[in-house]
Amino acid sequence: MPNQQGATVAELALQQIGPRLKSWRQKRNLTLDDLSRLTDISASTISRLESGKRAPNLELVVPLARALRLELDDLLPRVVPDPRVPRVTKRIDQVTFEQLSPESSPSQAAKVTFPPPESGALPDPKVHDGYEWLYVLSGRLRLVLGEHDIVMGPGEAAEFDTRTPHWLHSAGPGPTELLAIFSKQGKRIHLRAKPSGAAAGL
């Protein structure tokens, strides 16, 4: 991904090789001529590489790393991927799920927003494999879990085995926002389209 100056992450990593090479050479108390004798690479080539005037390649970097008693990773930093999670939002039966973790993560995090409850809507508890943790951000959350039927407010958290029959929704009067962490399987179940007219809930 390009930065503000248009350079890619890989290009920025390559640009660090020269300064790293010079730093390690000086730490080893070696002059350009010393390193040249150890590698059969001319001192002028090493100098140009250190200053960024010569593009690095394996034919240069490998013998230089060996002479400096380094691993390649010491000269060629690992490219760190962009840590930001792409914003993906899905809406199922008026319940909004905003993805907060990458698809590759073993635990899936999401911001879930429930609409105000509908008059006459009844709980419809479900079961599935997994474990779930949730934290109420705003509004009032109704959680039906086994024989429990409780209402939670902002700042309250809960965790439970999803093999226990459970259902949750806004307790009203307005919408409810919460953070939820669950397994990939749990996420698939939560985002599965429900039959038309079914009450929204997890």
Side-chain angles (χ1 to χ4, degrees):
M1 179 176 292
N3 69 352
Q4 293 179 347
Q5 286 72 41
T8 66
V9 173
E11 289 170 342
L12 291 174
L14 289 175
Q15 291 172 12
Q16 296 181 43
I17 291 180
R20 283 172 176 251
L21 173 61
K22 182 176 182 179
S23 177
W24 279 109
R25 176 177 62 78
Q26 293 174 338
K27 288 180 181 178
R28 300 290 194 244
N29 294 317
L30 296 173
T31 66
L32 289 170
D33 289 333
D34 292 334
L35 192 53
S36 176
R37 284 191 293 270
L38 291 171
T39 60
D40 290 328
I41 299 173
S42 69
S44 62
T45 297
I46 299 173
S47 176
R48 291 173 60 216
L49 185 61
E50 290 183 350
S51 64
K53 296 178 180 178
R54 172 70 184 265
N57 58 55
L58 289 178
E59 292 182 0
L60 295 175
V61 174
V62 170
L64 289 169
R66 186 180 300 119
L68 293 169
R69 305 188 302 279
L70 300 173
E71 299 292 335
L72 282 180
D73 284 349
D74 294 321
L75 290 178
L76 182 61
R78 293 181 180 179
V79 176
V80 179
D82 190 331
R84 293 173 294 183
V85 177
R87 183 167 183 171
V88 178
T89 302
K90 188 169 184 178
R91 190 170 182 177
I92 302 293
D93 289 342
Q94 298 185 336
V95 179
T96 302
F97 297 84
E98 184 175 342
Q99 185 171 307
L100 300 178
S101 60
E103 288 289 345
S104 58
S105 177
S107 296
Q108 296 292 298
K111 178 183 176 183
V112 185
T113 303
F114 291 98
E118 296 179 1
S119 177
L122 298 175
D124 183 21
K126 303 293 185 182
V127 297
H128 56 83
D129 289 334
Y131 211 77
E132 188 162 331
W133 176 90
L134 56 89
Y135 177 85
V136 182
L137 295 171
S138 65
R140 298 166 69 241
L141 178 73
R142 182 184 178 189
L143 170 61
V144 176
L145 177 67
E147 68 274 18
H148 300 285
D149 189 343
I150 57 180
V151 174
M152 301 168 57
E156 291 191 276
E159 61 177 347
F160 52 89
D161 188 323
T162 53
R163 291 173 297 183
T164 302
H166 61 283
W167 179 91
L168 51 148
H169 202 280
S170 172
T176 299
E177 293 183 320
L178 59 90
L179 292 178
I181 299 177
F182 32 69
S183 64
K184 282 188 175 182
Q185 182 180 12
K187 177 184 175 182
R188 287 195 297 269
I189 291 173
H190 293 332
L191 295 184
R192 184 177 58 199
K194 299 178 177 63
S196 177
L202 296 182

